[in-house]
Amino acid sequence: GDIRGMEAKILRYDEPGEAPEDSLCVYFFVDCRDAMGANLINTTAEKLAPEVERITGGRVGLKILSNLADRRLARAEVTLPFDRLATDSMDGKEVAEGIASAYRFAYADPYRAATHNKGVMNGIDPVVIATGNDWRAIEAGAHAYAARSGSYKPLGKWVVKDGALHGSIELPMQVGIVGGTIKNHPTAGAALGMLDVESASHLGEIIAAVGLAQNLGALRALSTEGIQRGHMSMHARSLVARVLAAESEEVRQQVYAEVVRSRDVKEEKVLEVFEALKKK
């Protein structure tokens, strides 16, 4: 790794009702290799500060990294034939068009885009946490990147073309596989071992792919059965597993199916169905 370049920019603070103020911001770009890089970048900034003051004759204020790592991007994409998307009540093309329509809605409306991207991060954050990386840094960078055009946009993109649904995602991914918590925490090491990652960029691509997959699952549910039904189904499965933890998987599946059919996802209903099943 090394410093790959530097830039300087005049910034103007011009908040309405406040006195305007100009400042000089010096950016430098570091190839962090397989480290997340926070310590490297912050240390470099502090070392460079006296030289910047000497050249400019000014006083350096903040010396810190940015979490908008827009030169450290991870990308993932997928192409899904229509038949992979079909449900019992909808053909695959109809589902694909619904998913693409949901993406266009998010592109046009920042209120929907915020929830669209929350779904992406539902997939990304757990992998970031499990591998010992900083999920707050990834969240900050992702949302800032989503707003880089001046308006907030969806991170996951879905379009229908050439007889298939095409999905893609691109976002900053400042993750590492060496150093800090990753080196000292056995759980992080185990997670990286299971993923069989070769580099920090490889890990970033895996994380981006998980985010895209999670986004697809949410949009497919919204475009077909509705997200609430999907959430209630997951809640029912979790509830049955907890209440009937001592029972066999076969019994739990039978109770789960009946609770979902009843749409009464409560502990009392689980016990009622279980007692009725025992009497058969």
Side-chain angles (χ1 to χ4, degrees):
D2 201 354
I3 293 180
R4 301 297 186 180
M6 299 184 73
E7 293 178 2
K9 182 186 297 183
I10 299 293
L11 303 179
R12 164 148 286 215
Y13 166 73
D14 57 359
E15 183 178 357
E18 302 293 338
E21 178 181 292
D22 289 336
S23 61
L24 174 70
C25 184
V26 178
Y27 303 89
F28 61 91
F29 310 103
V30 178
D31 180 359
C32 299
R33 308 306 294 172
D34 286 335
M36 186 273 186
N39 291 334
L40 169 63
I41 293 170
N42 291 339
T43 300
T44 303
E46 291 175 357
K47 292 291 186 181
L48 286 173
E51 184 66 11
V52 172
E53 289 180 335
R54 186 189 67 79
I55 293 170
T56 63
R59 181 182 66 84
V60 172
L62 304 185
K63 305 174 284 292
I64 193 167
L65 85 168
S66 170
N67 290 124
L68 179 53
D70 57 2
R71 302 195 183 197
R72 194 176 182 181
L73 301 175
R75 302 175 180 88
E77 58 183 44
V78 66
T79 298
L80 294 167
F82 292 149
D83 60 1
R84 300 296 297 273
L85 298 167
T87 70
D88 292 339
S89 59
M90 296 176 66
D91 66 53
K93 183 178 180 182
E94 186 179 4
V95 174
E97 289 173 344
I99 291 169
S101 177
Y103 160 73
R104 295 193 297 273
F105 176 20
Y107 190 90
D109 179 43
Y111 293 92
R112 173 57 207 151
T115 311
H116 179 106
N117 289 343
K118 189 265 186 183
V120 170
M121 303 313 290
N122 280 347
I124 286 175
D125 287 351
V127 186
V128 174
I129 293 168
T131 56
N133 282 284
D134 186 348
W135 67 271
R136 296 149 300 184
I138 301 300
E139 283 269 359
H143 295 299
Y145 193 70
R148 67 192 184 282
S149 67
S151 60
Y152 192 80
K153 298 297 182 184
L155 292 166
K157 178 175 182 177
W158 299 95
V159 297
V160 173
K161 63 179 181 180
D162 301 328
L165 177 68
H166 300 266
S168 60
I169 190 171
E170 176 186 270
L171 73 165
M173 194 57 63
Q174 61 273 38
V175 293
I177 62 171
V178 296
T181 302
I182 300 164
K183 181 179 180 181
N184 299 319
H185 201 296
T187 303
L192 289 168
M194 286 188 288
L195 291 171
D196 194 25
V197 294
E198 300 171 354
S199 63
S201 60
H202 183 200
L203 175 60
E205 291 165 356
I206 292 171
I207 295 171
V210 174
L212 186 63
Q214 184 73 25
N215 185 219
L216 173 63
L219 295 185
R220 184 175 184 273
L222 281 169
S223 303
T224 54
E225 63 183 8
I227 200 72
Q228 188 61 14
R229 182 176 174 185
H231 280 172
M232 291 308 291
S233 177
M234 289 189 292
H235 177 51
R237 190 177 298 280
S238 175
L239 181 63
V240 169
R242 177 177 63 80
V243 175
L244 303 180
E247 304 301 324
S248 68
E249 179 63 22
E250 181 181 359
V251 168
R252 289 198 296 267
Q253 284 295 333
Q254 291 177 13
V255 173
Y256 162 75
E258 182 56 35
V259 169
V260 170
R261 274 195 295 270
S262 74
R263 298 189 178 183
D264 185 12
V265 185
K266 298 177 182 176
E267 184 170 333
E268 295 81 1
K269 184 64 177 180
V270 171
L271 293 172
E272 176 190 319
V273 172
F274 177 58
E275 291 299 325
L277 183 64
K278 286 199 299 184
K279 293 176 181 178
K280 289 183 179 180

